[in-house]
Amino acid sequence: MPERAIGPFNVSAISLGCMNLSHAYGVPPAPAEGERLLNRALDLGVTMLDTAALYGGGNNERLIASAIGHRRGEFTLASKCVLGMRDGKRVLDGSPQAIAASIDGSLKRLGTDHIDLMYLHRPDKDVPIEESVGALVRAKQAGKIGAIGLSEMSAETIRRAHAVHPVTAVQTEYSLTVRNPEIAVLDTCAELGIGFVAFSPVARGLLAMGVRDDAYASGDIRIHMPRFTGANLAHNLGPVRVHEALAREAGISPAQLALAWLLARAPHIVPIPGTTRIDHLEENLAAATIALPADVLVRAEAIFAPGAIHGARYSRPMQAQVSTEVFLDEELD
């Protein structure tokens, strides 16, 4: 497995987002299935795992502890604070007190005394970013975390955070269909020496033949994302099928085309696709060694030129919790 640098960490060029195993896309798989997938990922050379206090109300962190805690030395462990669950409801709290408590909770659930990379999951607009980062600095000084990350934040916020303490990684949604990081965040990360971790790199299944209609299971977050439902989705499946045809022509899967395109964008980008299936895991990781011809890269981008995808990527309440830049003509409803 090729590696890329994220700050002091050398990690697999394609790493693993663990959210799907406990959260967000309907009924999660049984813990035994999650355990098999996590162990298979490590066996195949994945060396960074991404989780969060939010996922499954902490169950995702517990799964990692029970499934691969005995292999802790084999991977860089990343988790997130600020977003969490209280009394069954999602809560955003970036206060230093809440961050300290969240980190302690994650350490307990993960069965470890040290988390390599801790992200602020979202910006709390009621708390200055400097105060939230300060809480992470104190956790680092106490030996509880090793490095600081940010998720779904603007270039301006990244600079403010970096002025308090060097930021190791920024995590934001990035794929052929979601190009917002290209506005400012990717260049800011390259300038400041910050690694970029791309979540939802196959567009929540859209670029992996995982979405054909909007008959989602109860609890699937795509129900609340405008581009994944109704007339928007019906339109979006048009360019998606062109993407699939290009992948067939190139002799690879649509997911591999999406991931290989991301890896070709810049050397500081590490995609973290998630999956509940081992065959999909193996397919995704194989993309790390695919070098796409320049004409295929150009054609893939052209499929998803501005305006090709209809509908906002987030609902209004979800959009309100991020500060990632938006395009002037981007749909926000």
Side-chain angles (χ1 to χ4, degrees), residues 6-30:
I6 298 289
F9 311 114
N10 288 321
V11 303
S12 49
I14 295 177
S15 290
L16 182 65
C18 300
M19 180 180 75
N20 304 48
L21 299 175
S22 309
H23 187 86
Y25 296 108
V27 178

Side-chain angles (χ1 to χ4, degrees), residues 100-167:
S102 180
I103 291 173
D104 286 344
S106 288
L107 289 168
K108 183 177 180 180
R109 289 187 294 271
L110 287 161
T112 184
D113 61 0
H114 184 81
I115 297 168
D116 300 307
L117 173 59
M118 178 58 70
Y119 292 92
L120 299 176
H121 205 157
R122 291 290 188 272
D124 183 343
K125 295 173 183 179
D126 293 328
V127 180
I129 189 65
E130 291 82 0
E131 292 185 17
S132 296
V133 172
L136 294 186
V137 172
R138 289 188 288 277
K140 180 178 178 181
Q141 292 169 341
K144 295 180 179 182
I145 67 173
I148 291 172
L150 309 173
S151 178
E152 287 279 41
M153 299 195 192
S154 68
E156 187 267 340
T157 304
I158 293 167
R159 290 183 184 278
R160 286 172 55 193
H162 195 72
V164 176
H165 185 282
V167 173

Side-chain angles (χ1 to χ4, degrees), residues 196-234:
F196 184 89
V197 176
F199 76 78
S200 296
V202 296
R204 304 183 189 277
L206 195 62
L207 300 179
M209 304 179 71
V211 178
R212 284 294 184 263
D213 56 48
D214 58 5
Y216 303 113
S218 176
D220 193 309
I221 60 174
R222 291 171 291 192
I223 294 170
H224 307 291
M225 296 176 171
R227 65 180 47 182
F228 285 93
T229 59
N232 286 333
L233 177 61

